[in-house]
Amino acid sequence: MDLRFTPEQDAFRAEVRAWLEANVPSEAKGTGPLPSLDTAEGFAAHRVWEQAMFDARLSVVSWPEEFGGRGAGLLEWLIFEEEYYRAQAPTRVGQNGIFLLAPTIFEFGTPEQQARYLPAMASAREVWCQGWSEPDAGSDLAGIRSRATRKGPEGEGGSWVLSGQKTWASRGAFADWCFGLFRTDPTAERHRGMTYFLIPMDAPGVTVRPIAQLDGETGFAEIFFEDVEVPDDQVLGEVGKGWSVAMATTNSERGLSLRSPARFTEAAGRLLALYAEQALLDPVAAGRSADAVARAAMDAEAYQLNTYWTVTRVLGGTPVGPEASMNKLHWSETDLAIHRCALDLLGPEAELLDADGRPGPWLDGFLFALAGPIYAGTNEIQRNVVAERVLGLPRS
Amino acid sequence: MDLRFTPEQDAFRAEVRAWLEANVPSEAKGTGPLPSLDTAEGFAAHRVWEQAMFDARLSVVSWPEEFGGRGAGLLEWLIFEEEYYRAQAPTRVGQNGIFLLAPTIFEFGTPEQQARYLPAMASAREVWCQGWSEPDAGSDLAGIRSRATRKGPEGEGGSWVLSGQKTWASRGAFADWCFGLFRTDPTAERHRGMTYFLIPMDAPGVTVRPIAQLDGETGFAEIFFEDVEVPDDQVLGEVGKGWSVAMATTNSERGLSLRSPARFTEAAGRLLALYAEQALLDPVAAGRSADAVARAAMDAEAYQLNTYWTVTRVLGGTPVGPEASMNKLHWSETDLAIHRCALDLLGPEAELLDADGRPGPWLDGFLFALAGPIYAGTNEIQRNVVAERVLGLPRS
Amino acid sequence: MRFAFEDRQVEFRDQLRSFTEKECTAAEVRAAWDSELGWSPDRWAAMAELGLLGLTVPEDLGGFGFGFLDLVLLLEEAGRSGLPEPLLETVGLAVPLLLDLPGPEADGLRAEVLPRVAIGESVLTVGLSSMVAVPAAAGADLLLLEDAGELHAVAPAETRLIPRPSIDGARRPARVDWDPTPDTLLASAAESAPVLARLADRAAVGTGALLLGVADRLIASAAAYATDRHQFGVPIGSFQAVKHQLADALVRLEFARPVVYRAAWSLDSAEPAVSRHASMAKAYAAEAALGAARTALQVHGAIGYTWEHDLQLWMKKAWALSTAWGDAADHRARVLEALLAEAAGPG
Amino acid sequence: MRFAFEDRQVEFRDQLRSFTEKECTAAEVRAAWDSELGWSPDRWAAMAELGLLGLTVPEDLGGFGFGFLDLVLLLEEAGRSGLPEPLLETVGLAVPLLLDLPGPEADGLRAEVLPRVAIGESVLTVGLSSMVAVPAAAGADLLLLEDAGELHAVAPAETRLIPRPSIDGARRPARVDWDPTPDTLLASAAESAPVLARLADRAAVGTGALLLGVADRLIASAAAYATDRHQFGVPIGSFQAVKHQLADALVRLEFARPVVYRAAWSLDSAEPAVSRHASMAKAYAAEAALGAARTALQVHGAIGYTWEHDLQLWMKKAWALSTAWGDAADHRARVLEALLAEAAGPG
């Protein structure tokens, strides 16, 4: 055990930090903050930012060089993330593709698919959204009803015709591509007969309806598919094996890649600063939150430690497995605790919006945190997974 | 709404308080504290105490006068309980009979049964234990296997032969009588075919094995029945209707009668005193428990208020119903919170036993409180009841 | 000892419920949030017709002269329906505050203002100098404001309002800039102190009552959704995880009720422990509503996270009202202090 | 950055586990609790044979000269098995404390005591004047005691012990009455201060490690019981209410592990933030164990409430150890203070 970074890792951190300091859009530089991702203008600005990162080969540091990465290890990825959050850099418009789809393309994609999709994704020339949930298949993904019917000959060179409805697609309003599961064998039982498709959002028959969230912004969308024709080379993995292909993606979503600990340690750092500030104004009132502040900060740090612990194991060749569900439970509760605690510290100011009618950073973060226990598999589902697959309890 | 007591109620309170001050066994008077209920000597001493209360017509104030009560109302009963806990009077050896069985005898017993059992119960000449759970029927009472087979003619004047095993019978080691359910129709399905029996513990074929609890004391017992003959007049209610007869008892256990709010408000008062004491010794450390102390004290008071609220409704003719499950959830969590908080305040002293190797009052109370979420229907069962019968959610 | 409402009080509540079920649907609440004012003058007029606005106004000034115990169920119903109008501010806080003012100097003001309140022609609000923003300030015809411990009555024309929008779209808080003058003065600091203490107690109980209604609505919505929504081939309400969350939320609510009702009684009965009772009410009701919001959202899942679903209206009320007039932790600290003082005895 | 144990460390733990599975069954733990001493001299001798007792003793004094990182998994295993012997007190606290003592004056004591510790012929314990009672005092051959900030080495014959039994039957705390003399003095207050600070950190991490093992055992027992026990015709572990409680308990435990392991590393690496890391370890592990105890009892139901069921052994360990050397809230307060100081920067 050695919890120090190597000189090479320290040097990498220094490079990332310097680049971000020079390039992150900011008020001071007159380049930021970027407009909201939920506007066309903001979406475009975020693409420009990701392209700049891509040009500096910082967009996807852990990918192979041929696809725009540096072939860096997981630890370097964690360092990158720590620096990214430390720099308060823009939300990544490409994250659904990079974190959820890319691992699946690396595992199941053909060399042609990898070459076709990965670099465009890493530079945000093509932004992806996830076509996962359906109105009647939220927690119960196996209840998916959207279907694809065969057109043309079996084997190579044919196509599929997709129809159905997907919902809760983050970035759906402006994304270029969508990935998702469709039922190719309507006679197969729940988990079978599904296939994983890659669909351009400008294909004829695709309609998008943005959905406004709690904060009024259209963070996600419904996507309607009416006889959308998709060629065979836009199938990822084997026809009919979509469920197992998708589970690989789901595991990355729940596991390491999406919820970098830096997000929570950064927020915990701001919480400590808020506490220190409020403690100067009213030490008695702030003191009532002391224990909750300590808990929240510890929970964020424990998540960071647990990530290093897990990454060391993964680097040793052990996959993450159902422990990913424990991570999901921990980070989602931690995120809520950090933000609830901040609102408590803010007291009567907590309810107030900014002058432009938008929630300020803490209230906005609280609203965002509330979604944590719901998406990517509700926490109820995760507890079932932990109980059944880690503790070995009998299935219901 | 008027939350003041009437002058009559105040006078009743004064009478009870005066009598208890004069009579409660105490170190100061050289009459107490009584030895542990879990010893033969202590059991006998507690009988003597209940007899004294009975003689003062304070043992069962809400019962009709003919059975030793005063025909007092529920509010007077609550006043009595407040004074009883305030006086730190002995644990009631007769409580299983008085609080769990008596309501059932009042509702289902024949006049002969009422005359035969109630006064002896109220004076603790006969102490009752509950033969409810079985090793394989804990939360799932309908899984009871102990059985009674018919001997002699149908109708009046015959008898039943009981066999099987009951467990977790509080006071079982020294009780005189036992009440419980036995299966009289082995072909009937789960909730049917059971009958409610009253059984003398000295009947041939009854064997008792005391069970030591967490604190090492034999607070409860297993009871084995081997061909125990019981005459017809020791059946309570109709043959085969034991389940509905029992449910009446269960409702009293879970509802108002057993968990008098005075128990928790008295403990909360001691917690406040402990807090004040510790705050003098180490205000910073005690301050860390301030919010928990406030919560615990408020929870106890809320339970008291809720009881007055419910009693007013009951006096107006509305039965308690499934809200009793909410009471169980609230008081059991409150009791744990009060005692956990006290142990936190005691810090390193919390783990220490008294010089005689017994837990001190707070640790003892904590151990006792731990049983709260388990007995009288686990809190998991209670939450099901609340969700299904109060909120109307579908059964699983 | 009789811990129950009078039939009259329950009937008045039922009457308001019939009214809100027609006139204050979720769509109406939404429309109010989107409106310029944040609430509806038409509905305010209708509430005056129902006699609601004169509830606390003395009979000789055109009202009923009722107390907080008559009001508490109505406030609960206001929370349940999401009623956007400033019922608490006008009827629950400002009118009793005016009645508490000592001396005949205030008689003129009372005679002028209160009859107009009762008929719906005057909306009032109250504000303290410690407040970041005063709710319902923009629509008020008269603002009762504290400055340096003194109470003042300030006409809207004498104020400059800087809106500080709340996440609860009906609250419309605003920073109020104004200059105290001898003309605005209602009571000296010494005279105002007890009046302000009673104001704080009423605000705690009144906000607590609103929160009871909010929690009730959240739990009822979630229970209904859990019965309808199917996943894995069964209603999600048949899962223990859903049942137990909702059961816990309901227990918190049902135990908060008598705590709030007792505090209302204590306000009307000049109970010595009224401030402790009021703080307990606010603390309990805030926890019940925050817990209900968390549970209701979790039960609904993604649909509850959308703007178009009505759940947001009540969740946002829960978040906003739980910190208004002191949050749960503040009030628990007050309760503990009072309990320790009571235990130490007088002196 | 490599956050994993070395093979050697895991093998040593496995070796202890094989040992405890044979020599320290629940029946053995029970026997120890019932014994006069509270632990077994025979098992202590066997532990010496395994090389456990010389783990922290320097090589030139007959030990291995290992650090806390080598010890932490063994302590965890001690908690898991309920090992009643004073492993933490002797190997984890007293030996390192002796090694920390400055100056050659202590060399003589080290040369005399440590070789005997390594071969199991000397049992040590440590105590502070602020402690109500000192664990394992009765069986110790030498007590390292603090008085007025000074450290003293006190022979049992120079003490009067008043037993203060713990709910954990193996801890055997006692009030130690003794008189500090120049002969007993080990280090002045100034010299002792940093030594005592490191003692407190080791005690926090060591107790945290024991608690990890206790939590692990409680959760494993409850999961096994939930799989076997049937009610309503199915194993109770198939109910979501049981699953979710156990899942939450497991999450608390699994996130406590790296926190405790990091603190052990920090102890060995002279990390500047070691005290904060140690406090985090104790706070996290205590919450994990207390939560596991509550859940395990609830899952077992009445059977877990009995003396004859082994669950009590580990629940009682959880309760006792969670308050030993500072409870979770104390340690969180230390963590917050340190974090604020770190954020404020040096100076």
Side-chain angles (χ1 to χ4, degrees):
Chain A
M1 190 178 297
D2 185 355
L3 304 188
R4 277 168 294 235
F5 290 103
T6 63
E8 293 73 24
Q9 288 165 338
D10 286 338
F12 174 70
R13 183 188 294 276
E15 183 205 331
V16 173
R17 185 173 300 187
W19 189 88
L20 290 169
E21 270 170 16
N23 291 281
V24 165
S26 72
E27 224 167 331
K29 297 191 203 84
T31 53
L34 302 185
S36 161
L37 253 180
D38 298 316
T39 61
E41 180 204 2
F43 208 84
H46 281 76
R47 283 188 203 256
V48 172
W49 161 248
E50 300 237 351
Q51 178 74 50
M53 282 214 293
F54 181 74
D55 295 342
R57 285 204 304 126
L58 286 171
S59 171
V60 286
V61 295
S62 61
W63 289 14
E65 295 191 21
E66 56 179 311
F67 301 121
R70 296 181 178 217
L74 276 172
L75 286 167
E76 286 72 18
W77 173 71
L78 284 175
I79 290 170
F80 171 81
E81 291 284 308
E82 286 177 8
E83 293 303 315
Y84 197 83
Y85 278 96
R86 180 180 180 280
Q88 304 202 287
T91 304
R92 299 203 59 178
V93 68
Q95 70 183 16
N96 284 328
I98 293 170
F99 296 135
L100 305 182
L101 174 59
T104 318
I105 293 188
F106 279 118
E107 192 171 344
F108 295 95
T110 63
E112 293 73 24
Q113 286 175 324
Q114 293 180 352
R116 162 67 189 82
Y117 296 114
L118 292 172
M121 178 192 298
S123 60
R125 281 198 316 277
E126 291 176 356
V127 174
W128 290 78
C129 68
Q130 193 183 26
W132 225 234
S133 298
E134 300 185 0
D136 291 317
S139 294
D140 181 16
L141 268 190
I144 280 172
R145 294 189 197 167
S146 292
R147 60 190 191 281
T149 50
R150 187 67 192 164
K151 182 175 175 184
E154 293 295 319
E156 303 279 311
S159 66
W160 295 86
V161 178
L162 277 46
S163 58
Q165 181 184 352
K166 297 288 180 179
T167 191
W168 318 129
S170 299
R171 317 261 185 284
F174 303 103
D176 308 293
W177 283 79
C178 170
F179 58 97
L181 285 185
F182 289 74
R183 210 166 266 289
T184 41
D185 179 358
T187 67
E189 56 180 72
R190 290 166 45 84
H191 293 82
R192 295 167 202 276
M194 286 194 267
T195 300
Y196 198 120
F197 286 95
L198 310 176
I199 312 124
M201 296 288 279
D202 60 1
V206 174
T207 323
V208 175
R209 188 181 78 92
I211 305 175
Q213 307 178 145
L214 278 187
D215 61 359
E217 302 278 328
T218 54
F220 38 46
E222 282 183 302
I223 310 173
F224 299 89
F225 299 86
E226 287 177 78
D227 299 332
V228 177
E229 189 167 345
V230 171
D232 274 347
D233 60 4
Q234 285 165 219
V235 168
L236 191 58
E238 271 182 67
V239 170
K241 293 285 169 62
W243 181 259
S244 36
V245 177
M247 283 303 101
T249 306
T250 307
N251 276 337
S252 3
E253 184 178 3
R254 285 177 191 160
L256 283 174
S257 62
L258 185 57
R259 289 300 151 236
S260 122
R263 180 176 138 199
F264 310 108
T265 50
E266 191 274 335
R270 284 187 290 117
L271 178 66
L272 284 166
L274 176 66
Y275 176 80
E277 215 176 288
Q278 299 286 328
L280 287 179
L281 298 174
D282 186 346
V284 175
R288 291 201 270 279
S289 289
D291 195 55
V293 171
R295 277 180 193 271
M298 282 168 51
D299 284 346
E301 194 167 310
Y303 184 62
Q304 182 185 39
L305 291 171
N306 194 62
T307 304
Y308 281 111
W309 177 252
T310 309
V311 161
T312 304
R313 212 177 57 212
V314 169
L315 291 173
T318 312
V320 175
E323 292 81 4
S325 290
M326 296 204 264
N327 289 357
K328 164 82 204 289
L329 288 165
H330 185 87
W331 70 246
S332 58
E333 295 293 342
T334 297
D335 201 25
L336 256 176
I338 291 171
H339 289 90
R340 182 69 257 170
C341 185
L343 295 186
D344 287 344
L345 281 167
L346 288 171
E349 291 191 60
E351 68 167 305
L352 301 180
L353 306 176
D354 285 348
D356 59 356
R358 297 267 314 135
W362 286 117
L363 187 53
D364 190 49
F366 172 67
L367 296 179
F368 191 64
L370 280 170
I374 296 171
Y375 70 93
T378 64
N379 283 11
E380 287 73 29
I381 300 283
Q382 308 295 348
R383 289 190 182 94
N384 285 347
V385 171
V386 172
E388 291 168 13
R389 296 183 53 201
V390 187
L391 285 171
L393 294 187
R395 294 180 66 89
S396 307
Chain B
M1 189 178 296
D2 185 355
L3 305 188
R4 278 169 293 235
F5 289 102
T6 62
E8 292 74 23
Q9 288 164 338
D10 287 337
F12 174 70
R13 184 189 293 276
E15 182 205 332
V16 173
R17 185 174 297 185
W19 189 87
L20 289 169
E21 270 170 16
N23 291 282
V24 164
S26 73
E27 224 168 329
K29 296 192 204 85
T31 52
L34 300 186
S36 163
L37 253 181
D38 298 317
T39 60
E41 180 204 2
F43 208 84
H46 281 76
R47 283 190 203 255
V48 172
W49 162 248
E50 300 238 351
Q51 178 73 52
M53 282 215 291
F54 182 74
D55 294 342
R57 285 203 306 127
L58 285 171
S59 171
V60 287
V61 294
S62 61
W63 289 14
E65 295 191 22
E66 58 178 306
F67 301 120
R70 296 182 178 216
L74 275 172
L75 286 168
E76 287 71 19
W77 172 71
L78 285 175
I79 290 169
F80 171 82
E81 290 284 308
E82 285 176 9
E83 294 303 316
Y84 197 81
Y85 278 96
R86 182 181 178 281
Q88 304 201 289
T91 303
R92 298 204 58 178
V93 68
Q95 69 183 15
N96 283 328
I98 293 171
F99 295 137
L100 306 182
L101 173 59
T104 318
I105 292 187
F106 279 117
E107 193 171 343
F108 295 96
T110 62
E112 294 73 24
Q113 287 175 323
Q114 293 180 353
R116 162 68 189 83
Y117 297 114
L118 293 172
M121 179 191 297
S123 60
R125 282 201 314 278
E126 290 176 353
V127 174
W128 289 79
C129 67
Q130 193 183 26
W132 225 232
S133 299
E134 299 185 2
D136 292 317
S139 294
D140 181 15
L141 268 190
I144 279 172
R145 294 191 196 164
S146 295
R147 60 188 190 283
T149 50
R150 186 69 193 163
K151 182 175 175 184
E154 293 295 319
E156 302 279 311
S159 67
W160 294 86
V161 177
L162 276 45
S163 58
Q165 181 184 349
K166 298 287 181 181
T167 190
W168 318 131
S170 299
R171 318 261 186 281
F174 303 104
D176 308 292
W177 282 79
C178 170
F179 58 97
L181 285 185
F182 290 74
R183 213 166 263 289
T184 39
D185 179 359
T187 67
E189 56 181 73
R190 291 166 44 83
H191 293 81
R192 295 166 201 277
M194 288 193 268
T195 300
Y196 198 121
F197 285 96
L198 310 177
I199 312 126
M201 296 287 279
D202 59 2
V206 173
T207 323
V208 175
R209 187 180 79 91
I211 305 175
Q213 305 179 146
L214 279 187
D215 62 358
E217 302 279 329
T218 53
F220 38 46
E222 281 182 304
I223 310 172
F224 299 88
F225 298 86
E226 286 177 80
D227 298 330
V228 177
E229 190 168 345
V230 172
D232 275 348
D233 61 4
Q234 287 166 215
V235 168
L236 190 59
E238 270 183 67
V239 170
K241 293 284 168 63
W243 182 259
S244 36
V245 177
M247 283 304 101
T249 306
T250 306
N251 277 337
S252 9
E253 183 176 8
R254 287 175 190 163
L256 282 175
S257 59
L258 183 58
R259 290 299 151 238
S260 119
R263 178 174 139 201
F264 311 108
T265 50
E266 191 274 335
R270 284 187 290 117
L271 178 65
L272 284 166
L274 177 65
Y275 176 81
E277 214 176 287
Q278 298 285 326
L280 286 179
L281 299 174
D282 185 346
V284 175
R288 290 201 271 279
S289 289
D291 196 54
V293 171
R295 279 180 192 272
M298 282 169 50
D299 285 345
E301 193 167 310
Y303 183 63
Q304 181 186 39
L305 290 171
N306 195 63
T307 304
Y308 281 110
W309 179 252
T310 309
V311 161
T312 304
R313 213 177 57 215
V314 169
L315 291 173
T318 311
V320 175
E323 293 80 7
S325 290
M326 296 204 266
N327 290 356
K328 164 83 203 287
L329 287 165
H330 185 87
W331 69 247
S332 58
E333 295 292 341
T334 296
D335 201 24
L336 254 176
I338 291 171
H339 288 90
R340 182 69 257 173
C341 186
L343 295 186
D344 288 343
L345 280 168
L346 288 172
E349 291 190 58
E351 66 168 304
L352 302 180
L353 306 177
D354 285 348
D356 59 356
R358 296 267 315 137
W362 285 116
L363 186 53
D364 191 49
F366 173 68
L367 296 179
F368 190 64
L370 280 170
I374 296 171
Y375 70 93
T378 64
N379 282 12
E380 287 72 29
I381 301 282
Q382 308 295 348
R383 288 190 182 93
N384 286 347
V385 171
V386 172
E388 291 168 14
R389 296 184 52 203
V390 187
L391 284 170
L393 294 187
R395 295 181 66 91
S396 306
Chain C
M1 165 65 69
R2 201 187 97 77
F3 196 4
F5 287 96
E6 309 307 322
D7 291 346
R8 173 194 73 181
Q9 291 158 339
V10 175
E11 281 158 21
F12 213 169
R13 193 268 320 271
D14 291 346
Q15 195 187 344
L16 178 58
R17 182 167 299 180
S18 309
F19 173 77
T20 60
E21 279 171 1
K22 274 196 291 258
E23 307 296 335
C24 188
T25 62
E28 297 280 350
V29 174
R30 227 172 243 280
W33 286 30
D34 290 340
S35 71
E36 178 75 23
L37 185 62
W39 50 274
S40 151
D42 287 351
R43 197 161 39 229
W44 190 255
M47 286 161 65
E49 293 278 320
L50 288 175
L52 276 172
L53 305 186
L55 197 94
T56 52
V57 171
E59 291 185 73
D60 60 355
L61 295 175
F64 291 100
F66 286 165
F68 225 86
L69 212 42
D70 296 274
L71 185 60
V72 69
L73 289 181
L74 304 176
L75 290 171
E76 188 178 331
E77 180 56 32
R80 213 187 62 88
S81 62
L83 192 84
E85 284 69 39
L87 183 66
L88 172 62
E89 288 77 5
T90 301
V91 180
L93 304 182
V95 170
L97 183 146
L98 286 174
L99 294 174
D100 276 352
L101 287 175
E105 300 87 334
D107 280 347
L109 184 65
R110 285 191 278 259
E112 180 197 330
V113 172
L114 296 186
R116 305 193 55 231
V117 167
I119 57 170
E121 291 189 357
S122 191
V123 171
L124 311 180
T125 194
V126 297
L128 307 180
S129 54
S130 60
M131 286 176 157
V132 187
V134 176
D141 299 297
L142 186 69
L143 298 93
L144 304 175
L145 300 172
E146 172 270 339
D147 178 77
E150 300 169 343
L151 276 162
H152 293 257
V154 187
E158 300 168 76
T159 65
R160 291 166 302 285
L161 301 183
I162 297 122
R164 294 294 317 270
S166 161
I167 192 161
D168 174 348
R171 274 170 61 75
R172 302 302 168 98
R175 203 181 93 198
V176 182
D177 289 350
W178 62 289
D179 301 306
T181 68
D183 283 353
T184 58
L185 187 70
L186 282 179
S188 69
E191 289 168 334
S192 296
V195 178
L196 287 166
R198 286 185 62 74
L199 168 68
D201 290 341
R202 287 195 196 97
V205 182
T207 312
L210 290 169
L211 284 163
L212 287 186
V214 169
D216 186 289
R217 178 71 168 243
L218 286 163
I219 293 170
S221 306
Y225 185 78
T227 305
D228 289 347
R229 169 76 171 170
H230 283 61
Q231 291 274 276
F232 304 99
V234 293
I236 62 171
S238 63
F239 291 114
Q240 266 190 341
V242 171
K243 282 185 184 171
H244 289 199
Q245 284 179 50
L246 279 169
D248 285 338
L250 187 69
V251 170
R252 278 191 296 268
L253 169 60
E254 292 304 322
F255 279 82
R257 278 187 206 284
V259 172
V260 175
Y261 302 156
R262 186 263 305 256
W265 180 83
S266 297
L267 279 172
D268 287 355
S269 312
E271 260 290 304
V274 59
S275 290
R276 174 165 75 75
H277 296 175
S279 280
M280 252 184 85
K282 180 71 209 292
Y284 240 96
E287 295 284 359
L290 288 175
R294 170 86 204 265
T295 296
L297 178 58
Q298 190 65 22
V299 169
H300 278 81
I303 193 81
Y305 198 77
T306 63
W307 187 264
E308 44 196 287
H309 196 284
D310 293 329
L311 195 69
Q312 60 139 330
L313 303 172
W314 284 270
M315 287 197 291
K316 290 174 176 176
K317 278 208 164 315
W319 300 327
L321 293 173
S322 62
T323 51
W325 298 97
D327 68 15
D330 298 332
H331 282 288
R332 280 195 298 270
R334 275 184 27 153
V335 169
L336 182 59
E337 211 175 312
L339 283 172
L340 292 170
E342 285 174 30
Chain D
M1 165 64 70
R2 203 187 97 77
F3 196 3
F5 287 97
E6 309 307 323
D7 291 346
R8 176 194 72 186
Q9 291 159 339
V10 175
E11 282 158 21
F12 214 169
R13 193 268 320 269
D14 291 345
Q15 198 187 341
L16 178 58
R17 182 167 300 180
S18 307
F19 173 77
T20 59
E21 280 171 0
K22 274 196 291 256
E23 307 296 334
C24 187
T25 60
E28 296 281 349
V29 174
R30 228 172 242 279
W33 287 30
D34 290 341
S35 71
E36 177 75 23
L37 186 60
W39 50 274
S40 151
D42 287 350
R43 197 160 41 229
W44 191 254
M47 286 161 65
E49 293 277 321
L50 288 175
L52 276 172
L53 304 185
L55 198 94
T56 51
V57 171
E59 289 186 75
D60 60 354
L61 295 175
F64 292 99
F66 286 164
F68 224 86
L69 212 41
D70 296 275
L71 185 59
V72 70
L73 289 182
L74 303 176
L75 290 171
E76 188 178 330
E77 180 54 34
R80 214 187 63 87
S81 62
L83 192 83
E85 285 67 39
L87 183 66
L88 172 63
E89 287 77 5
T90 301
V91 179
L93 303 182
V95 170
L97 184 147
L98 286 173
L99 295 174
D100 276 352
L101 287 175
E105 300 87 336
D107 280 347
L109 184 64
R110 285 191 279 258
E112 180 199 329
V113 172
L114 296 186
R116 304 192 57 231
V117 168
I119 56 171
E121 292 189 356
S122 190
V123 171
L124 311 180
T125 195
V126 295
L128 307 180
S129 54
S130 60
M131 286 176 158
V132 186
V134 176
D141 299 295
L142 187 67
L143 299 94
L144 305 175
L145 300 172
E146 173 270 338
D147 178 77
E150 299 169 343
L151 275 161
H152 293 256
V154 187
E158 301 167 75
T159 65
R160 290 165 304 286
L161 302 183
I162 296 121
R164 293 295 315 268
S166 161
I167 191 162
D168 173 350
R171 274 169 62 74
R172 302 302 169 101
R175 202 181 93 198
V176 182
D177 289 348
W178 61 289
D179 300 307
T181 70
D183 283 352
T184 59
L185 186 69
L186 282 179
S188 69
E191 289 168 334
S192 296
V195 178
L196 288 167
R198 286 185 62 73
L199 169 67
D201 290 341
R202 286 196 197 95
V205 182
T207 313
L210 291 169
L211 285 163
L212 287 186
V214 169
D216 187 289
R217 178 72 166 243
L218 286 163
I219 293 170
S221 306
Y225 185 78
T227 305
D228 289 346
R229 168 79 170 169
H230 283 60
Q231 291 275 273
F232 304 100
V234 292
I236 61 169
S238 64
F239 291 114
Q240 267 191 342
V242 171
K243 282 185 184 172
H244 289 197
Q245 285 180 49
L246 279 169
D248 285 338
L250 187 68
V251 169
R252 277 191 297 267
L253 169 60
E254 292 303 322
F255 278 81
R257 278 188 205 285
V259 172
V260 175
Y261 303 156
R262 187 263 305 258
W265 180 82
S266 296
L267 280 172
D268 287 355
S269 312
E271 261 289 306
V274 58
S275 291
R276 173 165 75 76
H277 296 175
S279 281
M280 253 185 83
K282 178 73 208 292
Y284 241 97
E287 295 284 359
L290 289 175
R294 169 88 205 262
T295 297
L297 178 59
Q298 191 66 21
V299 168
H300 278 80
I303 191 82
Y305 199 78
T306 62
W307 187 264
E308 46 196 287
H309 196 285
D310 293 330
L311 195 70
Q312 60 140 328
L313 303 173
W314 283 271
M315 286 197 292
K316 289 174 177 176
K317 276 208 163 320
W319 299 328
L321 293 173
S322 63
T323 52
W325 297 96
D327 68 16
D330 297 333
H331 282 287
R332 280 195 298 270
R334 276 184 27 154
V335 168
L336 182 60
E337 210 174 313
L339 283 173
L340 292 170
E342 286 174 29

